[in-house]
Amino acid sequence: MVASGVQTGFSQENFAAFLLERSEPNWLTDLRRDFWEEFQRRSMPTRAQEEWMRTDIRLLHLGQQEWPTTSVAQTELPSAALSTGVELAGQTVTLNGRTQSHALVARWREQGVIFGPLESIVQEHPELVRKYLLNRAVDPRYDKFSALHAACWGCGTILFVPRHVCIDAPFHTMSILSDGGVDLGHTLIVLEDGAEASVLVETASCQPHDKGFHCGATEIIQGAGSRLRFVGLQDWGSGVWHLAHQKAVLSKDASLQWTIGALGARLAKVNQHVELVGPGAECQVNGVMFTEGKQHLSYHTLQHHMAPSCRSDFLYKAALQDTSRTVWRGMIKVDQGAQKTDGYQRNDNLLLSAKARADAIPGLEIEADDVRCTHGSTTGRVDEEPIFYACCRGFTRKEAIRMIVTGFFQQVFDRITIDSVRDALGRSIARRVREYE
Amino acid sequence: MTDTLTIRNLHVSVGDTPILKGVDLELKRGETHALMGPNGCGKSTLGMALMGHPNYEVTAGEIVLNGTNVLEMRPDERARAGLFMAFQRPVAIPGVKLADFLRHATTNVRRPDRKEGEDLIPMREFRQELKSKMQQLKIDPEFARRYVNDGFSGGEMKRAEILQLAMLEPKFAILDETDSGLDADAVLLASQSIAEIGRKQIGLLIITHHDKLLEHNRPDYTHVMLGGRIVETGGIELAQELHARGYDRIRQTYPEAAADNSAMAKGEALPLGA
Ligand SMILES: Nc1ncnc2c1ncn2[C@@H]1O[C@H](COP(=O)(O)OP(=O)(O)OP(=O)(O)O)[C@@H](O)[C@H]1O
Ligand SMILES: [Mg+2]
């Protein structure tokens, strides 16, 4: 498989070559070295660990992944799902961890907005990037994959919105993998006090069954009173390993609407963490998952209330087809001082085949005494009765099931305030639903 | 030629339990038939079998629509061929707006050859039609935005069934207790609405325990079902008699069917483990 003399994988030699080629500020190179050591030191997670108990990655061989800077042959790129017909404030596109194009509307640049490829902006605004990158939100030492990402991220997108700048048009970021490609992209979003923005991030493979490896991180840092709508649509090919750490830190009265669409990947292990550090902050999470074939998607959410009077409201809905499997592990953590916390988490699963399986593991860890925290989860199959009812009105069985599945997601669609996102998710799901016996 | 729906010697089982034991019925388009009988005699079962519910197995007999074997058709094909049933217990479809549901249903029924994914009736055209039908039936237009039967009151569900009947304009409609759960005003309104829709030449099979609906939709025939069989057929006077005096005479005249009926009601005929 491996041509003689050519090293693949995350080897020491490749890492050294990678550092040489990049000519980055010293502080960054030093950090990368530290994290590389951490990566080397940590062993692969095993099923003995709570987070990995239901998620088997024994077939993931890091040594066999291509190094992310390998160039790619010209391929036909998938079209964007979230940005069609939408006027954008800016856009970045990457292919196999390399930036292909980027743009920022002049009007926003003039107001001090910074948006573009992280790898070039770290050269232009090193102090700004240094202040936030892997420093405030995601913990690079969380596990082997966060360390790998921190050491080897190759490209990424940064959005920085200065105080009180409100951007009405969304930013769009698209990360593409070709078959066998590797992406270690980083997304860093910083909203200063009173700033407002919307960011649409999507990932896709060139072909539906492409293989690949993604080990990414998303960091969101929001100042007081800032407002962000963030959408992440994951639609990798069915052969892609998707490992991601995503974390938002919200200051006083900041608000975040975070929508997650999880459709693709062979195996996904995602940690989504929201830290409410300032009083009055609020976060709404809308998760939409649709799995098929042998997919395994594992989402671990943590809503951490560190300050009083914050709200968090997480709703994940999943529909599962074939022999696919989802794991959702949700935790609401309330610190001692976080009185008047209003925390909610819910996970509903709809099984579209007898062999699909959904595990829901909600959890509460509450140290304050004046709080309202509720959680719940349901898992069920599609009933025959509504199918028959719809068929009696002229729907084919397949149309009936598709409609029932769409209806199942409606509650979460209704919460999404960006039309193009709602439509794209609805269409993608309807397209995937097959006949159900 | 008048459209004709013929049911011959129909036997239907649920699980291993025989429910219908040889039903014969012929409906012509434009006729109104009343189907009466005590609780649990098999009226709804006949409707379910007509529409092709997978749990209601036809073990013998036939259902024929204009010479075509209905039993070989899937439920959606039956709907597209012009059969309709207003459910005794309509089913909720959470998250699906009644208007969207009906737009898709109406398109499929009006264009029986439509393939999955082909265009639906244009939104504006459909909305206009739906609005005017809702007006006629005195249904609040807001109703179309609610999810199908989800959290509807008993009366609202029945009115939504009538709205669907009005939109789909079938050749034959089974109305399974479409008047139950309605208050006095609503029964009157429903009865008038059905009569109005029925003028479009629908063959109606009305299952009811009350007389209001039949007052406005005078049956040409009344059938009495007992123990899974139609034991007597008459005109409107038979319906009137049953309303006035109940089923005692019927039970006495047909003791065998009456015994079957009470066995079914007690669940004795249910399969083991059900
Ligand atoms: N899906 C089913 N599962 C089990 N038993 C059933 C089912 N459907 C009907 N039955 C049984 O078949 C018999 C006839 O029921 P059916 O609903 O047809 O009666 P009905 O005449 O419509 O009664 P009602 O006037 O109370 O509506 C009853 O004993 C009922 O329990
Ligand atoms: Mg009944």
Side-chain angles (χ1 to χ4, degrees):
Chain A
M1 289 192 330
V2 178
S4 57
V6 179
Q7 285 272 355
T8 63
F10 297 101
S11 64
Q12 191 67 50
E13 291 82 348
N14 279 344
F15 179 65
F18 166 76
L19 288 186
L20 267 180
E21 170 193 293
R22 291 184 76 82
S23 60
E24 285 171 338
N26 288 338
W27 62 267
L28 184 54
T29 310
D30 291 346
L31 278 179
R32 286 188 187 278
R33 285 214 174 89
D34 281 358
F35 297 139
W36 178 259
E37 246 167 58
E38 179 79 15
F39 166 68
Q40 298 283 63
R41 209 172 50 75
R42 302 288 286 260
S43 47
M44 287 287 269
T46 68
R47 296 178 85 169
Q49 287 156 269
E50 167 71 23
E51 264 189 37
W52 297 90
M53 227 155 70
R54 297 160 191 85
T55 302
D56 187 354
I57 49 164
R58 280 175 298 179
L59 291 176
L60 169 63
H61 301 294
L62 290 180
Q64 283 169 19
Q65 304 302 328
E66 295 275 331
W67 188 265
T69 53
T70 314
S71 64
V72 267
Q74 207 60 42
T75 46
E76 201 182 313
L77 300 183
S79 52
L82 297 179
S83 60
T84 21
V86 180
E87 201 182 310
L88 299 173
Q91 189 176 43
T92 56
V93 179
T94 70
L95 174 61
N96 292 357
R98 288 198 157 188
T99 299
Q100 302 292 300
S101 65
H102 60 94
L104 168 64
V105 169
R107 183 179 151 213
W108 301 117
R109 180 181 298 117
E110 285 152 17
Q111 295 197 37
V113 173
I114 296 170
F115 176 79
L118 184 58
E119 67 278 18
S120 39
I121 287 179
V122 75
Q123 309 279 3
E124 295 162 31
H125 302 277
E127 289 316 308
L128 178 81
V129 173
R130 186 177 188 179
K131 186 169 165 193
Y132 296 104
L133 179 71
L134 293 164
N135 191 24
R136 299 282 183 93
V138 167
D139 174 11
R141 299 178 196 277
Y142 189 88
D143 61 16
K144 191 171 180 74
F145 299 112
S146 58
L148 173 66
H149 170 84
C152 302
W153 65 268
C155 70
T157 297
I158 178 170
L159 169 65
F160 171 84
V161 187
R163 288 169 67 89
H164 300 297
V165 173
C166 299
I167 304 168
D168 46 13
F171 292 90
H172 181 244
T173 288
M174 180 140 185
S175 301
I176 303 166
L177 277 178
S178 69
D179 195 20
V182 170
D183 175 289
L184 273 71
H186 191 96
T187 302
L188 175 61
I189 297 169
V190 179
L191 264 55
E192 284 196 329
D193 295 356
E196 281 183 30
S198 305
V199 180
L200 315 175
V201 171
E202 61 182 296
T203 67
S205 289
C206 292
Q207 298 296 324
H209 302 297
D210 280 356
K211 298 194 213 22
F213 176 68
H214 167 81
C215 180
T218 298
E219 302 190 281
I220 296 170
I221 296 136
Q222 289 188 238
S226 64
R227 302 174 65 86
L228 175 68
R229 292 187 299 181
F230 180 78
V231 178
L233 173 61
Q234 183 274 105
D235 195 9
W236 296 123
S238 59
V240 174
W241 300 89
H242 172 70
L243 302 155
H245 288 272
Q246 310 176 335
K247 183 168 171 184
V249 180
L250 274 61
S251 302
K252 183 175 185 299
D253 297 325
S255 99
L256 167 64
Q257 182 190 67
W258 187 342
T259 298
I260 294 228
L263 305 174
R266 162 191 182 149
L267 177 143
K269 161 70 167 55
V270 175
N271 290 79
Q272 186 192 24
H273 182 169
V274 174
E275 219 166 61
L276 302 133
V277 298
E282 56 175 45
C283 174
Q284 181 196 58
V285 167
N286 305 311
V288 173
M289 302 165 84
F290 188 95
T291 57
E292 58 186 338
K294 296 181 190 164
Q295 280 182 280
H296 178 116
L297 304 191
S298 174
Y299 277 69
H300 302 250
T301 65
L302 171 59
Q303 43 209 109
H304 189 173
H305 287 255
M306 301 172 73
S309 308
C310 293
R311 275 187 47 193
S312 66
D313 173 358
F314 281 43
L315 173 65
Y316 268 82
K317 278 183 170 259
L320 298 84
Q321 204 159 254
D322 308 325
T323 56
S324 63
R325 185 166 173 196
T326 60
V327 177
W328 171 81
R329 222 171 121 256
M331 174 63 78
I332 305 181
K333 203 171 161 193
V334 182
D335 289 354
Q336 213 164 26
Q339 302 295 1
K340 309 274 181 221
T341 284
D342 184 351
Y344 180 74
Q345 61 172 350
R346 183 171 186 90
N347 168 230
D348 294 320
N349 302 300
L350 185 64
L351 304 176
L352 299 176
S353 96
K355 288 184 178 150
R357 176 170 162 190
D359 290 325
I361 308 123
L364 299 174
E365 239 180 70
I366 300 174
E367 284 173 22
D369 47 27
D370 181 16
V371 302
R372 192 176 69 187
C373 288
T374 40
H375 62 170
S377 82
T378 61
T379 297
R381 293 178 194 288
V382 178
D383 269 350
E384 258 327 301
E385 297 312 316
I387 298 175
F388 176 67
Y389 184 78
C391 290
C392 284
R393 302 294 187 247
F395 287 73
T396 64
R397 192 175 168 83
K398 190 170 170 180
E399 287 173 329
I401 292 162
R402 193 174 285 162
M403 174 183 64
I404 290 164
V405 172
T406 307
F408 168 77
F409 284 112
Q410 195 59 47
Q411 182 194 8
V412 64
F413 289 165
D414 281 345
R415 293 161 44 125
I416 301 171
T417 55
I418 305 174
D419 292 349
S420 67
V421 172
R422 211 171 35 222
D423 294 350
L425 283 171
R427 267 199 312 272
S428 304
I429 287 168
R431 206 170 43 234
R432 282 168 157 90
V433 177
R434 290 192 305 276
E435 196 126 0
Y436 161 79
E437 299 299 336
Chain B
M1 203 195 81
T2 332
D3 292 301
T4 309
L5 177 66
T6 311
I7 299 165
R8 273 190 218 106
N9 187 35
L10 191 71
H11 286 69
V12 174
S13 292
V14 176
D16 291 333
T17 313
I19 310 287
L20 298 187
K21 302 173 184 93
V23 172
D24 293 275
L25 201 62
E26 183 168 277
L27 269 82
K28 289 206 161 56
R29 200 165 172 184
E31 291 175 352
T32 298
H33 293 238
L35 178 61
M36 299 178 69
N39 291 136
C41 70
K43 304 179 298 292
S44 296
T45 299
L46 177 63
M48 291 294 196
L50 267 169
M51 296 312 295
H53 192 295
N55 294 352
Y56 293 74
E57 191 198 348
V58 175
T59 53
E62 53 185 8
I63 305 175
V64 179
L65 174 63
N66 298 332
T68 311
N69 182 0
V70 170
L71 294 177
E72 283 179 358
M73 296 158 79
R74 298 186 311 257
D76 63 296
E77 292 172 329
R78 298 182 194 199
R80 293 178 199 210
L83 298 186
F84 177 91
M85 173 167 75
F87 281 57
Q88 182 175 2
R89 289 180 208 87
V91 184
I93 310 182
V96 177
K97 292 193 180 80
L98 182 60
D100 295 335
F101 179 77
L102 261 176
R103 181 167 167 230
H104 199 147
T106 310
T107 309
N108 277 9
V109 168
R110 287 190 195 163
R111 295 216 316 263
D113 300 328
R114 175 180 175 271
K115 302 264 179 302
E116 281 174 17
E118 284 178 14
D119 285 350
L120 299 176
I121 301 173
M123 184 65 95
R124 278 189 55 178
E125 187 185 318
F126 174 77
R127 279 222 184 108
Q128 251 161 24
E129 186 183 343
L130 183 65
K131 207 175 135 198
S132 84
K133 293 255 157 81
M134 290 179 87
Q135 230 155 30
Q136 272 172 32
L137 298 173
K138 299 200 172 63
I139 299 175
D140 180 355
E142 269 303 306
F143 207 68
R145 271 182 240 169
R146 290 181 56 185
Y147 298 150
V148 179
N149 297 320
D150 193 22
F152 285 19
S153 75
E156 286 169 343
M157 280 194 202
K158 297 301 165 100
R159 289 172 67 184
E161 294 291 288
I162 297 171
L163 175 64
Q164 296 184 52
L165 169 70
M167 290 299 294
L168 298 179
E169 298 176 343
K171 295 190 175 98
F172 293 96
I174 307 137
L175 307 182
D176 194 351
E177 301 200 21
T178 304
D179 52 354
S180 73
L182 298 179
D183 62 41
D185 294 347
V187 170
L188 182 66
L189 179 63
S191 307
Q192 288 166 340
S193 312
I194 291 165
E196 170 90 27
I197 300 162
R199 246 178 245 136
K200 296 239 173 81
Q201 290 294 304
I202 297 181
L204 287 177
L205 181 62
I206 299 178
I207 300 173
T208 180
H209 294 294
H210 310 289
D211 51 1
K212 208 54 178 192
L213 195 51
L214 297 181
E215 250 172 50
H216 291 265
N217 297 272
R218 212 182 143 80
D220 303 298
Y221 303 93
T222 302
H223 310 278
V224 186
M225 188 179 267
L226 189 67
R229 266 165 292 222
I230 289 178
V231 291
E232 218 173 285
T233 294
I236 187 161
E237 73 295 338
L238 179 55
Q240 285 159 345
E241 180 215 315
L242 298 175
H243 279 133
R245 288 194 278 280
Y247 292 100
D248 279 355
R249 177 185 69 75
I250 299 287
R251 285 202 186 87
Q252 276 153 25
T253 318
Y254 309 98
E256 211 178 298
D260 270 357
N261 207 85
S262 47
M264 275 157 66
K266 282 197 208 103
E268 280 170 16
L270 285 179
L272 286 171

